[in-house]
Amino acid sequence: PPGPAAPSCNLAFAEMVVASVVDGDTLRLTTGAYVRLVQIDAPETYTAHECFGERATRALQHLLPPGTQIRLVADPRLDHVDRYGRLLRYVVRGRDGLVVNIRLVHDGDAAPYFYRGDRGRYAGLLQRLALRARAAHRGLWGACPATGVDFYRAVDTGSRRTSAS
């Protein structure tokens, strides 16, 4: 499914263009700014080569290739910038209104992550979609069967050496 339509105008948003995808939950804009997709976490590829990390990165690259116009939507319930200076946003693809954060969880390419227990506007939906993806063994849930479910901790899929990536 394409996911819900773009959030209503009660959330601040900005239109931007994707320069590149850094990993499964981070991208760089043509302005040079970095965006961390809020309320989700994908397996790591740089600091720890986790199971499914490379596939999660490819999934985001497929959804948001360079040159894609996007809208960045802040959630007033959540921090707007992380400790690394990255913008924390929902990313809405311009051509069809797809909320990319939600799509990644639906497809099993990322898991919900409620940092410090903060729950944004899509928290319940993200949880339900993750549990369905896990039950269907989609994405990381099928490739990395030892992955647990804890929406209040970063996803830990384990080493890619012990599971398919």
Side-chain angles (χ1 to χ4, degrees), residues 7 9 86 92 114 122 152:
C9 61
R86 299 177 297 190
V92 180
F114 309 132
Y122 295 120
Y152 299 94

Side-chain angles (χ1 to χ4, degrees), residues 37-97:
L37 280 72
V38 73
Q39 296 276 275
I40 69 167
D41 189 43
E44 297 299 324
T45 57
Y46 291 102
T47 57
H49 293 280
E50 290 185 84
C51 173
F52 205 78
E54 293 169 13
R55 285 177 50 192
T57 300
R58 287 194 304 270
L60 187 53
Q61 288 168 333
H62 176 75
L63 291 171
L64 298 175
T68 302
Q69 291 186 331
I70 59 172
R71 280 181 287 154
L72 301 180
V73 182
D75 192 323
R77 301 177 193 174
L78 306 171
D79 290 339
H80 291 187
V81 179
D82 71 8
R83 65 182 179 198
Y84 303 109
R86 299 177 297 190
L87 301 171
L88 298 171
R89 300 291 190 271
Y90 298 108
V91 175
V92 180
R93 194 167 59 189
R95 70 176 181 263
D96 58 6

Side-chain angles (χ1 to χ4, degrees), residues 93-123:
R93 194 167 59 189
R95 70 176 181 263
D96 58 6
L98 175 80
V99 181
V100 175
N101 313 49
I102 293 171
R103 181 57 177 265
L104 291 170
V105 171
H106 171 273
D107 293 348
D109 296 321
Y113 178 31
F114 309 132
Y115 182 70
R116 290 188 325 228
D118 294 339
R119 295 172 60 87
R121 70 179 294 154
Y122 295 120

